[in-house]
Amino acid sequence: MENGHVPASLGEVEALITQLYSPGAPEKVASIQETLQRLQRSPEGWQLATSLLSHGDEQVRFFAALTFTIKLNTDAKSLSEEDAQALLQTLIGWLIRCLNGSESALVVRKLCSTLVAYFLQFSSSWEKCVKHLMLCLCTNEALPYVALENSQDTASMIENISSLKANNSVPKTVALFWFAATLVEEVGKTDSSSMKQHKFHLSVVPNVDDIVPLMSKYINDGSAEMKTRQEAMRCFQSWVSYSHRAFVDDGIMLDPLQILTQPSIMCLGQDDLYDITIELLSDVLTNYSKFLRKEDFAILQGLFNSPWAQERYQRLVKGDFDFDSLQFGMFMIAFGDATVQDLARNCGTDPQSHQYLSALCSLLAAEGYAVSEDKIYVPALEFWNTFVETMIDDVYSSEVEEEKPGWFLAAQEHVKQVIERCWVKSQFPPAEEYNSWDSVDRTGFKDARRDFSDLLQQFYLTTGIALLQVFIDLLQSSVVKRNWAELEASMYCLVWFSDCVYGAPERDDYLDKVFTPSLLALIADPNQEAPTRAMKGFLDLVIAYPDYFKHRPSNLPAVLNIVFAATSSSALAKTASRSIMKLCSECRTILLPELGAFLQHYGNIASNYSLDATVKEAVMEGIASIIQGLDGEEAKLAPLEQLLDYVQVDVEKCLQLANTNNNSELTSLDLGIISLKCLAGMSKGIQAPEDKPVDLERIAEPASPFWTTGKGSQVQQRIYLMMDRVFDVLGNRGEIIEEFCMILRHGFREEEPGPFVLPSRMAAQFLMKANSQTPRLGRMINTTAFLITTQNLTPDIKEILDTLLNWVSQILQILGEPGNDPEIAQAGIEFLQRLLSKFPGVVLSHQPPSSLEFIFMFALKALAGTEPLPKASAADFWATFIALPTQPTPLQSSIENAVSHLGPLLAQALIYNIGGHAARSELEKLSDPIKKLVVRQVHSKAWFQAALFDVNFPSEKVTSKDKSMFLAKIMNLRGAKGTNQVVRDFWLLCRGSNFAYAS
């Protein structure tokens, strides 16, 4: 059939339907589907569906039901009350004919869902839909809804319909269950606004009294047809799920459903009902435990002690992770989650609670490796995380400080057993086993270890530092046994306490029992090389506690020997270099005598280009931090020069490769990154430590000129020259630009002159090498903004800043519109804001005037635009500009002239945003310039009023009165914090009721 052709006869339509459900080319099927959908949605769709009802082909009858559903969803309003009632009888009559014949389940199910679609459109006139459908099926006739007034009671109808012998593929009771289940499933999917508008809960709830007796008959009757019993249980599951929604929405409790809970529990022991029942009960326990009564919980707890449950439990812990076995484990955990508070509080006095917690603990010891084989481990661990959180909540909510409840010690004992089992499960399997796993299992295993570490950190809050002793004992035992897997797991656990124990006075006493001579001897044993994973665990332990070696320096040489040796391993080099960096940073004073040895070590690895650049960066940072600890600036010069010599070699090779067609594996870019990362490491390491004590009585002395005009200035020149030459050949690479910015920022952060604290003019000169074609230009401009706020003032600073302003202005003019590159626009406006805040005269005296005008208009465009990042920066810029403190006379006149010209435009941009143009997340930022205008500008009310009543105001959903009231509120608040809420409320009003959720 040609595309767009409308079938002229019913036969053509039937042929198209047959083709639609037959294999064919996707394009042809899509064309047929489009044609049929046009027919379904047309005014003749009702008649089409009716005509196809009695067709001999099942697929055509299915399409007929589908057409009725589509028409009900899209065109129900076209039906009069009489038409709607007639349609209902037609649909029920068709369902009866299907059930009396040999209709397939596919069509019957679709018919049931069509009847549900009818209910959703006409719920008020078909409120007792379940009983009405039951009556029609009992009498085998599509009776009108009013026939319910003189009908039998529900119990009699159930007896009648249940006694019918099912000679067809779908029994009538099954059809009723399908309809009742689909009814609550579809209503449950309805969004909140439709639910309130149509009051669906009030229409559905009366049906519970009719469906519960029918479900009860088949859930309780063990002699009934199993298929019907299964559908009864599925229907019950759907209704319980719906009852949760009804409770959440309107606090409605469907109490009649609760009488089916205990009969359902009894169905667990029947194989054909097990899957449905355990899914139902697990779901209720997890999502809606309030549905269950106290006696239901008692029966469930008793059930877990039954031989049936014990047999399933034993299968699970012995490694049976088939679906039904795993379901049982999840059921146990769901019960634990639902009763976790009671289990915790009763574990010391109630044998059943103690026994149940012990069983949940033993789930963590099921056979097999976690995740790869043992599928219950992670869910069980999640329960114990919840259990520990419950303990913490009880401790911190206690009215009596430091008084723990009586059950607490018993609960702690359970968690200690959990920790022992998790420690075993956290041990890595042999390499060949681990490497045979797929990436999902390997990642899952590592995630499970991380989940265990979360539990440890939480449990620490209940025990304090004494918890470390558990892992110290395990570590010492594994050292004696030379069990590497156990040792790695013990070190892994100890790493996660570093933040918890920081500052604890007895911490180092505990760590003395960790970093013992026996551990160090085992790790360093030349006759038995430590496995890579165990060595990494040791290095991570050093990284976690580097300051320990500052307090206990006797072990430092042995640890450093181990760490330096590890840098020769490609698998360990990154972690080892971080260990070196941390140790050097923390122990810089102690390591001063070893500086020569460190420099020699770097000389040994400098030409090893197989090492990752970050390895050399970390080692450089560590050595530079030792150099920082030297007394006197001149003493730092020689070792810094030696480090720079190593970098210089890499820079020269980089430039050489850039100018030749070399086929070596190492590229000019590789060497450029190595060179700059080494400089970045040095620039960070040479910084004064953040925890350096401040002498409050010390008289400020003038800064030493050593690095600016003395001998140290040659070092600065050398660093600049290296950066300059690398930029000339690799300035078109984003990763290179990133490293340049990192080096400069480290220098900008310093409060005292230093080798990487480049003079303002030199830093500006380098930054302005970038142009509009430079990658990551936004990062360069952001770095320039750092210079404004962090550099010490020099006599020529205003001249330098003016040059930088010209550079930024030119970049923004080439950019044109903020939306053309939001990152550059944001960075440029942020630079302008910082400059305006600290040096307003530099901005306002910018030449030529056309460039100054462009800057302000660019910031206005960003404010009125759609890009969130430039808009946020523009809001800060305008808030800063409006709130500038009073300046000397000539400059103040310039500010006032600018405000009088730009104020109305600024007000218009702000009102345009809060009138509905802005996103909700932008309103906080936009409120700042509004508040500043109200407080600082006498004409602000007139400007805002003009903007509110301007023809370009974006919303038609607010009245003139709304606008006037908003204006009065913000003016009366005079910049107070309440302005933000007024702005948010007005924005919601402008957006309309669909955005009410945002409040």
Side-chain angles (χ1 to χ4, degrees):
M1 175 166 289
E2 292 180 10
N3 188 31
H5 173 71
V6 178
S9 67
L10 193 62
E12 282 188 48
V13 175
E14 293 165 354
L16 277 180
I17 297 169
T18 305
Q19 289 179 56
L20 179 67
Y21 295 116
S22 303
E27 300 81 9
K28 186 178 180 182
V29 170
S31 175
I32 293 170
Q33 192 169 23
E34 186 180 344
T35 302
L36 290 173
Q37 284 178 346
R38 283 204 304 271
L39 286 172
Q40 287 176 315
R41 294 176 187 279
S42 69
E44 293 77 29
W46 297 111
Q47 184 57 45
L48 173 67
T50 305
S51 303
L52 296 173
L53 284 177
S54 56
H55 195 275
D57 190 328
E58 172 190 272
Q59 292 173 334
V60 176
R61 296 194 299 276
F62 177 87
F63 185 84
L66 176 63
T67 303
F68 272 125
T69 302
I70 290 172
K71 291 301 292 180
L72 281 164
N73 288 335
T74 59
D75 202 21
K77 290 181 181 177
S78 68
L79 297 176
S80 65
E81 190 174 333
E82 293 77 13
D83 291 339
Q85 287 297 321
L87 174 61
L88 177 60
Q89 287 183 255
T90 298
L91 293 173
I92 294 175
W94 183 16
L95 178 63
I96 291 169
R97 288 197 300 277
C98 289
L99 293 172
N100 288 337
S102 55
E103 187 57 272
S104 69
L106 178 73
V107 174
V108 174
R109 273 190 181 278
K110 192 63 194 174
L111 260 176
C112 290
S113 68
T114 304
L115 283 166
V116 170
Y118 178 92
F119 174 87
L120 291 174
Q121 300 299 329
F122 303 103
S123 57
S124 59
S125 59
W126 198 34
E127 197 172 79
K128 299 279 283 184
C129 54
V130 171
K131 188 172 183 180
H132 178 227
L133 187 58
M134 196 183 293
L135 172 65
C136 295
L137 295 182
C138 281
T139 58
N140 221 30
E141 183 182 355
L143 298 170
Y145 185 62
V146 293
L148 269 182
E149 294 174 6
N150 301 312
S151 66
Q152 300 172 292
D153 60 16
T154 300
S156 302
M157 281 193 274
I158 289 172
E159 200 59 43
N160 183 326
I161 203 168
S162 303
S163 64
L164 297 173
K165 286 196 174 182
N167 299 319
N168 46 19
S169 59
V170 181
K172 290 181 176 179
T173 46
V174 169
L176 272 169
F177 287 136
W178 285 351
F179 169 76
T182 308
L183 173 71
V184 287
E185 286 166 9
E186 291 303 314
V187 170
K189 295 174 188 174
T190 308
D191 63 76
S192 298
S193 58
S194 295
M195 190 73 81
K196 289 177 182 177
Q197 181 182 349
H198 297 287
K199 299 180 180 176
F200 283 133
H201 289 317
L202 295 179
S203 301
V204 171
V205 168
N207 290 281
V208 72
D209 292 324
D210 300 314
I211 195 62
V212 165
L214 185 63
M215 291 189 292
S216 177
K217 178 172 179 58
Y218 286 93
I219 290 173
N220 281 294
D221 186 357
S223 63
E225 174 72 28
M226 183 53 69
K227 179 184 174 184
T228 309
R229 297 190 71 204
Q230 288 172 335
E231 295 303 335
M233 190 64 77
R234 289 192 184 98
C235 186
F236 178 47
Q237 183 177 9
S238 297
W239 274 81
V240 173
S241 178
Y242 166 75
S243 72
H244 185 205
R245 171 72 190 268
F247 177 76
V248 170
D249 284 351
D250 293 337
I252 297 171
M253 290 287 290
L254 299 182
D255 296 338
L257 290 171
Q258 292 177 315
I259 66 168
L260 299 177
T261 304
Q262 292 177 24
S264 296
I265 295 171
M266 296 302 106
C267 292
L268 279 170
Q270 300 175 43
D271 290 345
D272 290 327
L273 292 173
Y274 171 81
D275 285 350
I276 307 165
T277 308
I278 203 163
E279 182 183 329
L280 158 69
L281 293 171
S282 297
D283 186 54
V284 171
L285 286 164
T286 303
N287 300 312
Y288 189 30
S289 59
K290 195 179 186 72
F291 177 81
L292 299 172
R293 297 165 296 185
K294 189 175 181 180
E295 53 268 33
D296 299 331
F297 281 109
I299 288 174
L300 283 171
Q301 193 160 30
L303 174 76
F304 288 117
N305 293 323
S306 68
W308 170 85
Q310 289 301 311
E311 185 269 332
R312 285 189 171 271
Y313 176 78
Q314 289 303 320
R315 278 168 44 195
L316 180 61
V317 295
K318 287 179 179 176
D320 178 1
F321 299 110
D322 287 344
F323 180 71
D324 64 331
S325 185
L326 201 57
Q327 267 192 316
F328 178 78
M330 298 303 292
F331 177 41
M332 280 189 68
I333 292 167
F335 181 82
D337 282 330
T339 58
V340 65
Q341 281 197 334
D342 291 335
L343 288 171
R345 290 168 183 170
N346 299 331
C347 64
T349 55
D350 175 31
Q352 276 197 317
S353 295
H354 172 80
Q355 184 180 346
Y356 197 76
L357 286 173
S358 298
L360 287 174
C361 179
S362 295
L363 282 183
L364 297 165
E367 292 182 14
Y369 292 113
V371 180
S372 174
E373 297 168 344
D374 179 357
K375 305 299 183 185
I376 200 64
Y377 174 75
V378 171
L381 180 55
E382 287 173 358
F383 164 79
W384 284 104
N385 267 310
T386 303
F387 184 86
V388 172
E389 286 169 11
T390 302
M391 292 175 66
I392 293 168
D393 289 344
D394 268 45
V395 168
Y396 286 100
S397 62
S398 173
E399 293 181 4
V400 183
E401 286 188 22
E402 298 188 10
E403 184 175 316
K404 293 174 181 174
W407 52 266
F408 211 77
L409 287 176
Q412 281 184 324
E413 288 305 311
H414 279 291
V415 179
K416 286 176 183 176
Q417 291 177 30
V418 164
I419 287 171
E420 287 182 22
R421 285 168 169 76
C422 291
W423 173 76
V424 173
K425 282 286 184 179
S426 295
Q427 294 169 26
F428 272 94
E432 60 275 13
E433 171 70 28
Y434 181 75
N435 293 334
S436 70
W437 297 352
D438 62 26
S439 60
V440 173
D441 283 347
R442 287 200 294 267
T443 302
F445 181 79
K446 290 177 180 176
D447 289 343
R449 279 166 56 104
R450 184 62 189 265
D451 291 343
F452 176 39
S453 72
D454 290 342
L455 182 141
L456 292 176
Q457 289 175 323
Q458 291 289 309
F459 190 53
Y460 179 90
L461 298 174
T462 74
T463 65
I465 199 167
L467 182 58
L468 265 68
Q469 190 62 49
V470 172
F471 298 100
I472 290 170
D473 292 342
L474 291 169
L475 180 142
Q476 291 176 345
S477 171
S478 59
V479 168
V480 172
K481 293 186 292 184
R482 290 179 171 253
N483 186 316
W484 294 109
E486 289 185 3
L487 177 60
E488 188 279 335
S490 303
M491 292 189 292
Y492 173 83
C493 294
L494 285 166
V495 164
W496 291 100
F497 293 114
S498 59
D499 288 339
C500 304
V501 300
Y502 186 78
E506 62 271 59
R507 185 202 70 164
D508 289 350
D509 295 334
Y510 278 92
L511 291 180
D512 287 340
K513 295 180 279 187
V514 174
F515 294 104
T516 59
S518 57
L519 171 64
L520 300 182
L522 176 63
I523 294 290
D525 188 350
N527 300 317
Q528 186 178 7
E529 184 179 349
T532 299
R533 203 175 297 284
M535 180 59 82
K536 185 179 182 303
F538 176 78
L539 296 173
D540 285 334
L541 196 60
V542 172
I543 291 169
Y545 300 102
D547 57 323
Y548 163 77
F549 299 97
K550 181 167 64 175
H551 309 139
R552 303 284 204 274
S554 59
N555 283 332
L556 189 54
V559 170
L560 280 169
N561 287 334
I562 294 170
V563 169
F564 273 118
T567 57
S568 61
S569 163
S570 58
L572 295 169
K574 277 191 180 182
T575 313
S577 64
R578 283 197 67 223
S579 302
I580 292 170
M581 181 266 290
K582 289 281 189 181
L583 287 170
C584 291
S585 179
E586 289 291 341
C587 309
R588 62 186 71 195
T589 308
I590 298 168
L591 293 173
L592 285 175
E594 305 300 323
L595 178 57
F598 278 90
L599 290 166
Q600 180 59 49
H601 173 77
Y602 190 83
N604 296 337
I605 67 170
S607 58
N608 181 359
Y609 293 109
S610 64
L611 288 176
D612 190 271
T614 57
V615 173
K616 292 185 175 181
E617 177 185 15
V619 176
M620 276 284 198
E621 183 182 336
I623 297 172
S625 64
I626 298 175
I627 294 172
Q628 190 279 329
L630 289 168
D631 191 16
E633 301 302 305
E634 193 155 351
K636 300 173 184 176
L637 196 57
L640 277 174
E641 290 275 21
Q642 192 172 341
L643 286 183
L644 289 173
D645 287 343
Y646 295 127
V647 180
Q648 187 79 50
V649 172
D650 292 338
V651 169
E652 296 302 332
K653 287 183 180 179
C654 165
L655 299 174
Q656 184 182 353
L657 285 175
N659 295 320
T660 59
N661 294 323
N662 198 307
N663 294 324
S664 66
E665 290 184 9
L666 206 62
T667 67
S668 174
L669 177 62
D670 294 331
L671 282 161
I673 289 174
I674 290 171
S675 305
L676 296 179
K677 278 194 175 292
C678 286
L679 287 176
M682 290 176 64
S683 66
K684 187 175 181 184
I686 204 70
Q687 291 178 325
E690 292 180 0
D691 59 353
K692 181 180 177 183
V694 179
D695 186 354
L696 298 176
E697 296 181 1
R698 181 186 170 195
I699 300 171
E701 298 175 3
S704 167
F706 181 80
W707 296 107
T708 51
T709 57
K711 289 182 182 179
S713 63
Q714 295 176 359
V715 170
Q716 287 192 340
Q717 289 288 345
R718 191 176 179 188
I719 291 167
Y720 178 85
L721 190 58
M722 283 193 230
M723 292 169 61
D724 187 63
R725 294 172 71 198
V726 173
F727 188 98
D728 287 342
V729 296
L730 293 171
N732 61 341
R733 302 301 298 253
E735 51 267 68
I736 290 290
I737 298 298
E738 198 70 39
E739 295 304 327
F740 283 135
C741 293
M742 193 63 70
I743 295 166
L744 290 170
R745 287 180 180 222
H746 286 155
F748 292 162
R749 289 193 184 102
E750 289 284 354
E751 295 180 2
E752 300 291 337
F756 286 87
V757 186
L758 301 183
S760 302
R761 187 173 294 278
M762 189 185 288
Q765 184 179 330
F766 182 83
L767 287 162
M768 288 189 294
K769 289 174 73 70
N771 58 40
S772 59
Q773 302 303 311
T774 302
R776 305 193 193 175
L777 181 55
R779 181 77 166 157
M780 286 286 270
I781 299 173
N782 274 329
T783 303
T784 310
F786 263 76
L787 186 148
I788 299 168
T789 52
T790 60
Q791 271 289 355
N792 291 320
L793 297 182
T794 56
D796 58 350
I797 188 65
K798 290 188 178 179
E799 180 189 338
I800 295 166
L801 293 175
D802 188 52
T803 309
L804 285 170
L805 177 57
N806 281 324
W807 171 67
V808 171
S809 175
Q810 288 167 16
I811 289 171
L812 295 182
Q813 287 181 54
I814 292 169
L815 181 64
E817 298 291 330
N820 290 342
D821 192 320
E823 184 185 356
I824 293 175
Q826 179 202 13
I829 296 169
E830 190 172 313
F831 168 83
L832 295 170
Q833 184 268 328
R834 290 195 184 192
L835 187 58
L836 184 67
S837 175
K838 201 164 184 182
F839 299 96
V842 173
V843 177
L844 292 164
S845 60
H846 177 60
Q847 294 296 324
S850 59
S851 181
L852 180 61
E853 183 180 359
F854 170 82
I855 286 171
F856 279 104
M857 295 311 295
F858 188 87
L860 269 176
K861 286 180 181 178
L863 191 68
T866 57
E867 291 293 340
L869 296 178
K871 184 180 290 188
S873 294
D876 287 338
F877 172 85
W878 288 110
T880 301
F881 177 62
I882 298 300
L884 282 173
T886 304
Q887 303 292 324
T889 305
L891 182 56
Q892 185 63 30
S893 299
S894 299
I895 293 172
E896 289 170 2
N897 289 337
V899 171
S900 63
H901 174 66
L902 295 167
L905 300 175
L906 174 59
Q908 190 167 29
L910 290 168
I911 293 298
Y912 182 70
N913 272 294
I914 63 173
H917 175 69
R920 181 184 181 276
S921 58
E922 297 165 348
L923 297 177
E924 286 292 318
K925 281 280 187 185
L926 292 166
S927 297
D928 286 341
I930 291 174
K931 291 186 284 190
K932 296 291 192 297
L933 276 171
V934 169
V935 172
R936 301 294 297 269
Q937 294 301 318
V938 293
H939 302 298
S940 60
K941 183 175 183 180
W943 295 341
F944 283 134
Q945 188 166 17
L948 283 164
F949 292 93
D950 190 89
V951 292
N952 293 321
F953 185 81
S955 175
E956 296 179 354
K957 296 177 180 176
V958 287
T959 64
S960 297
K961 184 179 179 182
D962 293 329
K963 294 176 182 179
S964 298
M965 189 174 294
F966 164 72
L967 180 59
K969 284 180 180 179
I970 62 170
M971 296 309 296
N972 290 336
L973 282 164
R974 298 291 298 161
K977 193 174 181 180
T979 304
N980 297 43
Q981 185 60 47
V982 172
V983 166
R984 191 179 298 112
D985 292 343
F986 185 68
W987 175 85
L988 278 172
L989 205 59
C990 294
R991 278 292 185 100
S993 59
N994 289 340
F995 285 82
Y997 74 90
S999 63

